[in-house]
Amino acid sequence: MKKLNSILFLTMLSLLITACGGENNNGTDKATGGAMASNAAERVYVAPGEHDEFYAFISGGYSGNLTVYGLPSGRMLKEIPVFSQFPTSGYGYSEETKPMLMTSHGFVPWGDSHHPDISQTNGETDGRWVFINENNTPRIARISLETFETEEIIEIPHSAGNHSSSFVTENTEYVVAGTRFSVPYPQKDMPIEDMKGNFKGPLTFIAVGDDGRMKIDFQLDMPGFNYDLSHPGRGDSHGWFFFTTYNTEEAHTMQEVNASQNDKDFIAAVNWKKIQEYVRNGGGEQMDAEYAHNVYDHSTHTATTTMGNKVTRVDPRKVEGAVFFMPTPKSPHGCDVDPSGEYIVGNGKLSTDLTVHSFSKMLKAIENKDFTGEAYDIPILNFDSTLAGTVKEGGLGPLHTEFDGKGNAYTTFFISSEVVKWKLGTWEVLDRQPSYYSVGHLMIPGGNSRNPEGKYLVSMNKITKDRYLPTGPELEHSAQLYDISGEKMELLLDFPTHGEPHYAAGISAEKVKANSRKIYRLDENKHAFAATSEDQTKMVREGNNVHVYMTTVRSHFSPDNLEGIKVGDKVFFHVTNLEQDFDVPHGFAMIGANTSELLIMPGQTKTVIWEPKKEGVWPFYCTDFCSALHQEMQGYVRVSGKNSNLPLKWTLDGE
Ligand code: RUQ
Ligand code: CUA
């Protein structure tokens, strides 16, 4: 069996290599996918000054961030810093935003962001927030769609490889986090080879308040499998959450072979409503935990970190009827629920077929106790009893599925490099289109909701090869836009993405753009070191710390001549942008500062620290070309010797 599996693996691998060879194997015209033959260009053309119809929030993968695109144009509109320091705005460098990157491991300047998901009301995307998970140092972030800034990051304790995250329930009651790498729970020093039966796979349910605030509600103590992806139930299955697992073998080494031994792994079905009720009634136990909770406040323009020290741990065996396993072939990856909530699609990544479970059949099987065994005392449902159908010969290496709201599903096949359209209920394949190349995720706006907007589909491809002008060994990943409004999918556009997209979330622009904030109001600025007018500017010495209350307005800093600073001082430049017009940021950069510039939005205050090491007169300047006199927007700091007695002095135009 083991040998057979390695043979299968090798065959897959060679197929994969050929599939990625830069030559497509579907016989269609490689360069255009037939797009030239139609009026594709017209259909993606957004005339100068016009706006796109959809926002797409595309994960940045190993960039740690989230990028915002317009569809159908494929134009990148913004990169929102989330889990990584971002010198473009000073995120993670400014004193106000450094706390956003605090964790129980200390300051972590980088993350691996995967799966954005838009908040929902009644099962529809509502345009309030985007959540996104961090895989490496487990965290979930919440980004406001009013400010397009990261407002909150919560660390997930006892987790490792936070991959089956950050998907939200129908009314954004919860956002989930499941551990992809099973680990000792709680962490402890133990031999790796004793993993089996001793490592665990905690699934964390984070409650989301009306204001968006996240709070860890409970952690489900699950067997030590790898929890890969997840999606919430909706409609009738609202109240349940589904998680794919792999490595149910619990192998701790050479997983490419050892974790592919079982013919079937599981989809874990979790009745979170039941568990919520159990916890509300005092169920579960308090367990020590250490995790950072970072919240950014828009009135103080400042983030703070609070450390959490407890979580409620729930033993699933103690909550009758709350957790079941549905056997699912071939190390499933994607775990996708259709708009009705009836079908749960398991994408067995080493398979050619797709397994679709039925929610109503699952309930019946549970009622009939139609079990074929148990895994760590959790009932395993009879495969044939929950099976709704199988999509046969869809392709090779299915990864993810989305839905168009018209009864069709679309699945990406990584190995055979294609997007395949099939019909829910009859399971027949309706269409297939090549992707260039090796597609991972795909996205239909609202595709993870009750009401998808099935006009476009974006495929996010892992390999770029020859699609664009070569840029050395490192290429940006490619994405493709398909029109899915007709019977056949039509490839319209190629566009590069940033980092490695692992999913995206789309929403019609109408639901977001009217709420998009234009400025921060100065009269609402509660930053502790703000100077909201030029007569509030000053310098204050506290020992070696010097606080500079500075303002910017087109086209000068106030003050712009600073004296009395000494070598060995720590200078805090608190810069407030007095502008109250849309799209007039100012920047601040100080020679030799061991950090990034600041980019300060109208009405905002940001702080950078400078520790001058040499005597002299040192310039600073505005980094954003803000006006015709931007080049004049500069100033000087005089730095005297350690023992100088020069008093602090700050002036603008001699005053
Ligand atoms: S996962 S394809 Cu996070 Cu599928 Cu990337
Ligand atoms: Cu302010 Cu340039």
Side-chain angles (χ1 to χ4, degrees):
M1 187 62 194
K2 192 160 174 161
K3 196 164 168 207
L4 203 125
N5 265 315
S6 2
I7 292 169
L8 175 75
F9 172 73
L10 287 172
T11 330
M12 292 269 193
L13 198 68
S14 60
L15 274 165
L16 160 70
I17 290 163
T18 40
C20 299
E23 195 95 52
N24 104 66
N25 46 343
N26 290 297
T28 51
D29 176 56
K30 186 182 78 165
T32 63
M36 288 295 275
S38 70
N39 57 346
E42 229 168 80
R43 282 141 73 193
V44 298
Y45 183 68
V46 177
E50 299 285 297
H51 290 171
D52 278 288
E53 191 180 346
F54 293 96
Y55 282 101
F57 300 93
I58 302 188
S59 101
Y62 43 65
S63 83
N65 295 336
L66 181 71
T67 45
V68 187
Y69 281 76
L71 298 180
S73 72
R75 299 182 294 193
M76 184 173 137
L77 308 177
K78 185 175 188 178
E79 179 170 0
I80 301 175
V82 185
F83 298 112
S84 293
Q85 282 182 306
F86 193 61
T88 309
S89 66
Y91 179 86
Y93 291 99
S94 72
E95 292 310 297
E96 289 81 2
T97 52
K98 276 184 192 168
M100 292 303 280
L101 302 181
M102 279 307 294
T103 72
S104 64
H105 304 269
F107 181 78
V108 175
W110 169 86
D112 183 13
S113 62
H114 273 241
H115 315 125
D117 204 15
I118 296 170
S119 55
Q120 297 191 11
T121 304
N122 294 324
E124 291 190 35
T125 55
D126 60 20
R128 287 181 293 167
W129 311 295
V130 181
F131 296 87
I132 190 165
N133 60 317
E134 206 272 276
N135 190 59
N136 181 54
T137 303
R139 286 172 280 175
I140 291 181
R142 181 174 55 81
I143 293 122
S144 156
L145 289 186
E146 186 192 328
T147 61
F148 286 66
E149 286 194 48
T150 306
E151 283 189 336
E152 187 178 4
I153 295 182
I154 193 164
E155 187 180 2
I156 313 299
H158 306 133
S159 181
N162 175 35
H163 196 257
S164 40
S165 180
S166 53
F167 305 103
V168 302
T169 53
E170 251 190 13
N171 288 299
T172 323
E173 295 94 336
Y174 285 107
V175 52
V176 301
T179 186
R180 173 166 143 219
F181 311 126
S182 59
V183 279
Y185 181 45
Q187 273 291 0
K188 63 174 181 204
D189 171 13
M190 63 172 280
I192 298 169
E193 61 181 18
D194 294 346
M195 168 188 181
K196 198 167 182 152
N198 293 315
F199 284 15
K200 293 298 185 70
L203 304 179
T204 309
F205 283 72
I206 298 114
V208 181
D210 290 338
D211 55 358
R213 285 295 178 92
M214 296 184 280
K215 179 182 154 284
I216 296 178
D217 199 22
F218 58 86
Q219 203 157 53
L220 199 55
D221 182 358
M222 294 287 283
F225 310 146
N226 289 2
Y227 295 83
D228 203 13
L229 278 151
S230 62
H231 266 105
R234 55 180 62 98
D236 284 348
S237 57
H238 176 60
W240 290 78
F241 227 104
F242 305 95
F243 295 83
T244 42
T245 69
Y246 67 104
N247 195 19
T248 51
E249 296 85 350
E250 295 177 75
H252 59 83
T253 184
M254 193 61 185
Q255 293 200 4
E256 64 172 341
V257 175
N258 295 328
S260 307
Q261 297 306 303
N262 292 345
D263 187 48
K264 294 190 180 71
D265 296 277
F266 302 123
I267 286 180
V270 175
N271 186 330
W272 58 259
K273 271 210 173 141
K274 254 198 177 137
I275 299 167
Q276 182 187 55
E277 195 184 292
Y278 172 79
V279 172
R280 295 286 170 275
N281 292 326
E285 54 182 85
Q286 291 296 297
M287 179 183 183
D288 287 339
E290 197 192 3
Y291 63 95
H293 187 188
N294 311 323
V295 179
Y296 184 83
D297 179 330
H298 281 295
S299 60
T300 60
H301 302 290
T302 302
T304 44
T305 298
T306 324
M307 293 304 292
N309 55 20
K310 289 271 186 263
V311 285
T312 303
R313 173 186 162 281
V314 173
D315 181 342
R317 295 165 305 188
K318 293 196 175 144
V319 195
E320 174 83 39
V323 184
F324 300 89
F325 286 131
M326 292 193 280
T328 304
K330 298 284 166 222
S331 303
H333 184 57
C335 182
D336 299 292
V337 179
D338 87 306
S340 75
E342 166 64 6
Y343 298 121
I344 303 126
V345 185
N347 301 263
K349 59 187 185 283
L350 299 179
S351 172
T352 55
D353 299 340
L354 286 175
T355 303
V356 186
H357 297 283
S358 147
F359 176 71
S360 51
K361 284 179 142 187
M362 181 193 93
L363 288 186
K364 208 160 289 162
I366 292 170
E367 197 183 300
N368 298 338
K369 295 206 160 31
D370 193 357
F371 306 142
T372 53
E374 288 179 341
Y376 296 102
D377 302 322
I378 293 173
I380 301 173
L381 295 165
N382 185 343
F383 175 69
D384 297 312
S385 307
T386 64
L387 188 70
T390 308
V391 181
K392 291 262 182 237
E393 314 277 319
L396 265 182
L399 289 185
H400 296 278
T401 300
E402 292 249 305
F403 309 90
D404 63 4
K406 293 173 238 160
N408 305 305
Y410 301 76
T411 300
T412 53
F413 288 84
F414 176 79
I415 300 173
S416 52
S417 216
E418 56 192 336
V419 181
V420 172
K421 175 180 179 181
W422 52 276
K423 196 160 187 57
L424 285 159
T426 69
W427 324 119
E428 59 187 314
V429 171
L430 300 176
D431 187 25
R432 57 180 68 238
Q433 287 294 327
S435 69
Y436 306 93
Y437 304 95
S438 297
V439 55
H441 265 285
L442 78 170
M443 181 275 280
I444 293 170
N448 168 41
S449 78
R450 221 163 55 176
N451 202 2
E453 304 176 82
K455 185 167 178 187
Y456 299 112
L457 179 158
V458 178
S459 74
M460 287 154 269
N461 311 316
K462 299 298 182 190
I463 290 169
T464 304
K465 294 276 187 197
D466 54 0
R467 297 304 285 181
Y468 313 123
L469 287 174
T471 53
E474 189 188 346
L475 306 169
E476 290 287 26
H477 288 217
S478 76
Q480 267 144 355
L481 182 81
Y482 298 84
D483 182 330
I484 56 165
S485 58
E487 222 167 279
K488 299 281 176 201
M489 297 177 269
E490 252 183 286
L491 178 58
L492 299 180
L493 181 73
D494 259 33
F495 60 96
T497 55
H498 188 57
E500 183 188 0
H502 290 267
Y503 201 34
I507 185 167
S508 78
E510 291 308 318
K511 290 190 186 176
V512 174
K513 69 178 186 189
N515 301 327
S516 184
R517 171 94 70 126
K518 294 197 161 61
I519 59 160
Y520 297 102
R521 285 180 49 175
L522 259 187
D523 57 3
E524 288 172 358
N525 183 327
K526 299 211 172 65
H527 190 289
F529 294 91
T532 53
S533 67
E534 287 190 359
D535 38 82
Q536 290 174 18
T537 58
K538 58 184 174 183
M539 289 172 79
V540 177
R541 178 178 283 285
E542 289 167 3
N544 286 333
N545 290 349
V546 178
H547 292 276
V548 181
Y549 294 65
M550 184 181 265
T551 61
T552 62
V553 77
R554 279 163 287 181
S555 298
H556 62 269
F557 292 96
S558 177
D560 67 359
N561 283 196
L562 292 75
E563 300 193 15
I565 284 168
K566 299 183 280 187
V567 170
D569 280 347
K570 197 173 185 180
V571 184
F572 294 76
F573 291 100
H574 306 289
V575 188
T576 303
N577 183 354
L578 299 181
E579 306 281 355
Q580 291 287 270
D581 278 346
F582 186 30
D583 200 19
V584 192
H586 291 285
F588 177 85
M590 183 72 227
I591 189 170
N594 301 116
T595 177
S596 81
E597 52 126 21
L598 301 173
L599 190 72
I600 310 136
M601 295 306 126
Q604 207 176 33
T605 306
K606 285 187 179 176
T607 302
V608 70
I609 291 179
W610 180 55
E611 296 179 75
K613 296 179 186 72
K614 296 178 202 166
E615 291 174 29
V617 178
W618 305 102
F620 57 89
Y621 71 101
C622 170
T623 48
D624 183 283
F625 206 108
C626 49
S627 71
L629 294 170
H630 154 79
Q631 290 299 79
E632 283 72 15
M633 195 165 170
Q634 56 182 291
Y636 289 109
V637 181
R638 174 178 171 189
V639 178
S640 308
K642 250 189 171 43
N643 302 319
S644 153
N645 288 322
L646 207 66
L648 290 177
K649 184 177 163 204
W650 58 96
T651 58
L652 170 68
D653 207 13
E655 293 183 18

